[in-house]
Amino acid sequence: MRHRVPLTLAPQNDIHTSDLTDSCMQRVLLRHEHKSEPVAPKALFRGLLVGKALEFLHKGASPDALRRGMPKVFKRVMDELNTEGREPSESVLKNRDELNKQVSDAVQHYDEQLMPLFRRCELIGTEVACRLKIGETNYASHLDLVLRDHDNVLGYGAGRLIIADWKFRQDVPTKAYLARNMQFCVYWLAALQGSLLAYPELDGWVDYAEDAQMLWVHLPNLFPYKRKTTKHINGENVVFPKGSPRPVNTVLHKVNFRVDCADQVRGDLEDRVSTMRAGFFPKSPDPVGCAICDVRDFCTRGDTTELLENTQ
């Protein structure tokens, strides 16, 4: 019988959102034990690349300048990976031009569709560090975009604090999923009961104590419809010709956490951490994911006792 090995996390060590959102607990354990391939796959690299480009856009760079400068942005992301001891996969290097074009196009659409709204808000920051303490556990992460919507441009209330997270994945999130997303739980609680590094040059942590509006920014939906599409909107069928931009509400997915549910949200986070501290790290095999998982060579399996050879 195999014994459980508790994950030793001292109270001063931070729990990161990647520990909370991973569908496979065994992968969480093996990564903490540094048993993973130090390779960034294409999907991960694309997310890092578009995030870096959008940071530059919010700091004043134009889409045209970013399109011309994408090789430098690409290198910037590679350098940051190298400082973490990781490198891009062969697929990333092979498809460099494709990735640069895809991200450049996304930035162009973002500038045309979302920046007219975001520019009318106060920019608090991009890649804003946040922290939260629940019991003896410290949580830490970074927020892609934090805004103050003084004039109710986005429609969530004048003066509302907005926390937006950029996502470049194909699966469109459902309301049921977003209401349970632990990454967003941490972000929301950090604004409500934790701190945000709003003034990094001064090490200025701010306890906002606010019910922030959470937004999942679904970047693939910035791209226009590839064919004529009919959508049921407000009780009516609306036809979008091929090449039409998608409605903004298909890009900005709101997450309406409620303050009276804060204790419940905190409890969900504590349950996940308690599971890790107790040493429960079950596998969650995936038909596709296991073949490309960065810990697959260290993850036990039923057809061999040998590790580092699990490539079939």
Side-chain angles (χ1 to χ4, degrees):
M1 181 177 179
R2 190 172 56 179
H3 296 285
R4 297 193 306 272
V5 180
L7 179 60
T8 54
L9 292 174
Q12 67 269 21
N13 289 80
D14 294 337
I15 294 289
H16 293 270
T17 50
S18 58
D19 299 324
L20 302 170
T21 58
D22 201 311
S23 61
C24 182
M25 294 298 294
Q26 183 72 190
R27 181 163 49 219
V28 172
L29 174 63
L30 291 173
R31 283 175 175 169
H32 271 278
E33 294 178 341
H34 305 291
K35 295 178 180 178
S36 62
E37 294 181 0
V39 175
K42 183 179 176 182
L44 172 61
F45 193 93
R46 181 180 58 194
L48 297 173
L49 188 64
V50 74
K52 185 61 64 178
L54 290 176
E55 280 188 59
F56 287 134
L57 181 70
H58 276 278
K59 291 177 181 178
S62 70
D64 289 340
L66 283 170
R67 189 177 294 275
R68 294 191 301 270
M70 278 308 299
K72 293 183 178 179
V73 180
F74 191 99
K75 184 178 184 304
R76 176 77 171 267
V77 174
M78 287 185 59
D79 291 343
E80 291 181 358
L81 284 173
N82 287 335
T83 62
E84 300 172 2
R86 295 190 292 171
E87 60 184 23
S89 67
E90 292 183 8
S91 178
V92 168
L93 299 178
K94 181 180 178 180
N95 295 281
R96 179 193 304 248
D97 292 342
E98 173 197 328
L99 284 168
N100 283 339
K101 183 181 186 307
Q102 188 177 38
V103 168
S104 296
D105 291 346
V107 169
Q108 182 71 50
H109 293 310
Y110 185 100
D111 184 70
E112 294 170 353
Q113 298 175 46
L114 299 183
M115 286 303 284
L117 299 173
F118 291 161
R119 286 193 180 99
R120 294 168 62 189
C121 301
E122 175 192 356
L123 174 64
I124 293 176
T126 57
E127 195 64 12
V128 176
C130 67
R131 62 189 184 191
L132 170 71
K133 186 169 185 177
I134 300 177
E136 295 300 316
T137 302
N138 297 309
Y139 300 80
S141 194
H142 288 80
L143 313 176
D144 286 343
L145 177 65
V146 184
L147 305 167
R148 175 74 70 184
D149 186 2
H150 293 286
D151 300 322
N152 196 24
V153 174
L154 298 173
Y156 305 116
R160 190 80 181 270
L161 186 69
I162 308 292
I163 296 176
D165 198 60
W166 300 317
K167 299 293 187 183
F168 208 124
R169 59 184 64 175
Q170 293 307 311
D171 294 336
V172 179
T174 64
K175 181 179 179 180
Y177 167 74
L178 291 175
R180 298 173 174 87
N181 184 285
M182 289 194 177
Q183 179 185 35
F184 277 66
C185 289
V186 171
Y187 294 170
W188 178 70
L189 281 175
L192 184 67
Q193 301 173 345
S195 303
L196 275 58
L197 186 57
Y199 306 101
E201 65 280 359
L202 303 174
D203 194 29
W205 289 90
V206 177
D207 299 343
Y208 281 97
E210 294 185 41
D211 172 18
Q213 177 64 58
M214 305 300 303
L215 293 176
W216 171 298
V217 185
H218 199 70
L219 298 175
N221 280 359
L222 288 169
F223 290 83
Y225 286 113
K226 295 181 179 180
R227 60 183 64 85
K228 180 180 177 182
T229 303
T230 301
K231 291 289 184 180
H232 195 69
I233 300 176
N234 296 327
E236 297 182 359
N237 288 328
V238 179
V239 178
F240 294 91
K242 177 182 177 180
S244 299
R246 302 168 192 258
V248 171
N249 64 0
T250 69
V251 180
L252 300 181
H253 295 262
K254 61 183 179 180
V255 191
N256 293 325
F257 292 119
R258 288 174 29 176
V259 174
D260 60 352
C261 294
D263 288 343
Q264 184 171 301
V265 173
R266 288 165 61 100
D268 289 341
L269 296 176
E270 289 181 297
D271 286 347
R272 177 83 171 203
V273 174
S274 296
T275 299
M276 291 192 290
R277 292 194 190 282
F280 289 99
F281 293 91
K283 300 182 185 72
S284 297
D286 180 88
V288 176
C290 284
I292 59 175
C293 180
D294 60 323
V295 305
R296 65 188 182 277
D297 289 340
F298 303 90
C299 184
T300 58
R301 49 193 286 174
D303 60 354
T304 178
T305 59
E306 298 293 329
L307 298 180
L308 291 175
E309 295 181 2
N310 299 341
T311 57
Q312 297 181 7

